[in-house]
Amino acid sequence: MNTLQSKKILLIISGGIAAYKSLELIRLLKKAGAGVRCILTQGGAKFITPLSVSALSGEQTHTDLWSLKDETEMGHIRLSRESDLIVVAPASASFIAKMAFGLADDLGTAALLAADKPVLVAPAMNHMMWNHPATQENIGTLMRRGVKTAGPCAGDMACGETGIGRMAEPEEILTSIRAHFERAKKLSGLRALVTSGPTFEPIDPVRFIGNRSSGKQGHAIAAALASCGADVTLVSGPTALPDPASVKTIHVETADEMISACRAAAPADIAICAAAVADWKPAQTQKKKIKKDKNAPPTLTLTENPDILSALAQPGPRRPRLVIGFAAETENILESAHAKRMKKKCDWIVANNVGTKEKIFGSDGNHVHLITASGQMEWRGSKKDIADRLVLEIMDHFKNLKLSEAAE
Ligand code: PMT
């Protein structure tokens, strides 16, 4: 099946000699059945003309953020929202820097900032510009935000120098675009439930028992599952994060609310418990703020919270086909995580070393071991990388399940 049939691509052509290759990319995309709308930046228009872009795309070429006609008829918001994928090719060093800093001073950058769609960039620049720490930091920032890249490649450059910086060939960019849409369907038809963030267990109207979880890891997992086509419900404790795109997010405060929301979201094929649920809550919540008077500090009596992971993993007809827990450990990481996997009856567990040396709570990076019945693997990287790795394992798991079901 042709994965590009009827897909809507917004192609942003920024300034660089490789802009001429974008004309070929438009031709290939059209031939593959995609609709292509183009934004040509001022820099891009120094190399190719709106007329040639329009002739190949069959659409009006958009160039000006300040054009009354353009903004009335189409507008930068509609341009980005009505696409399935935004491709920036070529993406110059300057354009990448603007994207990283969130500038919106022309039609291309404004459309990107207003976008809720996946983005793929094909960088093109001199090799020194590509290797400059500023560009590397900027591209790193974009990748951490989920922007995909095609290239750049090594080779001779228009400036006469040789190195990494050439824009990927149009056929290679087309392959990356196809891969994006193929990946986007891998988990379609599967329902996933993800818990994320801390829980806050109230002591009185102003105080609570909580923890340092930011929700970054759980939210990244929910986003990664959704980007592969899963129907995702995220049950999140209090965090400062925006709701991930294309994910149904339910906000809760306490463990009791979290378990109720998870039960309401059932049934699911996949359950991933990344939330740092408070193990205990005050036995009684005071209706009024506890006064700090001359008496001794109050004694808190705690009672156990429901264990959401254990509840979800209980055998039964409503058990998700794959239940994954996390284990936040500060010592004997692997043994403790392994024991938790057995005790809570989850299929896989992600052992998180949250000891003092590696700051994990709240940070962007993580260091984990995925423990399954058949072995373990170690991953280190951004929380987004960890989410992507986990989702790849989930894809493999369901692919193998399908194969074995087909063989029966
Ligand atoms: O949110 P971040 O700042 O990005 O940090 C990520 C993280 C460290 C919070 C996350 O990766 C992580 O390790 N989450 C699990 C934290 C935790 O509570 O671990 P635990 O070992 O106490 O619990 C084991 C498992 O049981 C977890 O899957 C937890 O969600 C679940 N649990 C625990 C208690 C409870 N009452 N109900 C549960 O479902």
Side-chain angles (χ1 to χ4, degrees), residues 58-275:
E59 298 260 359
Q60 182 197 342
T61 300
H62 304 271
T63 52
D64 188 2
L65 180 60
W66 310 111
S67 151
L68 189 57
K69 180 171 172 288
D70 271 21
E71 275 300 300
T72 325
E73 284 176 7
M74 175 57 69
H76 61 282
I77 310 267
R78 260 182 72 198
L79 265 176
S80 58
R81 300 287 164 79
E82 289 183 1
S83 61
D84 298 305
L85 175 70
I86 304 178
V87 178
V88 187
S92 66
S94 157
F95 199 86
I96 287 171
K98 284 197 204 180
M99 284 175 75
F101 280 91
L103 298 186
D105 60 353
D106 66 5
L107 186 56
T109 48
L112 280 162
L113 207 59
D116 59 353
K117 292 295 172 346
V119 179
L120 181 129
V121 297
M125 65 199 74
N126 169 273
H127 66 107
M128 298 289 275
M129 292 170 86
W130 173 250
N131 285 318
H132 195 287
T135 306
Q136 287 303 305
E137 254 173 53
N138 290 336
I139 198 81
T141 301
L142 295 187
M143 286 166 80
R144 275 192 295 282
R145 285 184 202 149
V147 170
K148 298 276 178 296
T149 56
C153 307
D156 295 337
M157 311 201 144
C159 56
E161 297 181 1
T162 305
I164 297 178
R166 276 172 65 96
M167 187 168 92
E169 292 303 321
E171 290 80 5
E172 291 167 325
I173 300 175
L174 189 75
T175 304
S176 299
I177 295 173
R178 270 193 211 286
H180 162 81
F181 286 112
E182 271 156 23
R183 187 179 141 89
K185 290 189 311 199
K186 282 265 163 64
L187 293 178
S188 68
L190 294 182
R191 295 188 59 182
L193 170 65
V194 181
T195 70
S196 180
T199 62
F200 287 179
E201 309 296 335
I203 298 169
D204 67 15
V206 292
R207 304 176 180 98
F208 60 86
I209 299 175
N211 61 67
R212 299 177 194 280
S213 168
S214 64
K216 286 182 180 174
Q217 186 62 80
H219 279 52
I221 292 169
L225 287 164
S227 75
C228 295
D231 174 3
V232 186
T233 302
L234 171 67
V235 181
S236 172
T239 75
L241 301 175
D243 294 350
S246 313
V247 167
K248 181 178 174 202
T249 305
I250 298 166
H251 298 273
V252 297
E253 286 234 343
T254 64
D256 285 319
E257 289 168 6
M258 191 171 268
I259 198 165
S260 303
C262 288
R263 288 200 168 116
D269 301 282
I270 308 159
I272 305 180
C273 293

Side-chain angles (χ1 to χ4, degrees), residues 11 13 16-28 30 36-41 43-63:
L11 175 64
I13 305 169
I17 181 66
Y20 79 91
K21 290 193 197 171
S22 301
L23 297 174
E24 174 63 2
L25 179 60
I26 298 170
R27 198 186 66 75
L28 292 173
K30 294 284 292 179
V36 189
R37 275 183 182 151
C38 296
I39 293 177
L40 185 61
T41 69
K46 303 272 182 218
F47 295 91
I48 54 175
T49 66
L51 190 60
S52 49
V53 174
S54 290
L56 284 161
S57 66
E59 298 260 359
Q60 182 197 342
T61 300
H62 304 271
T63 52

Side-chain angles (χ1 to χ4, degrees), residues 6 12 15 17 33 42 50 67 90 96 112 228 249 255 296-297 300 321 338 361 378:
S6 308
I12 301 176
I17 181 66
Q42 256 191 14
S67 151
I96 287 171
L112 280 162
C228 295
T249 305
L300 272 185
R321 290 193 275 166
H338 189 73
F361 279 99
E378 183 177 6

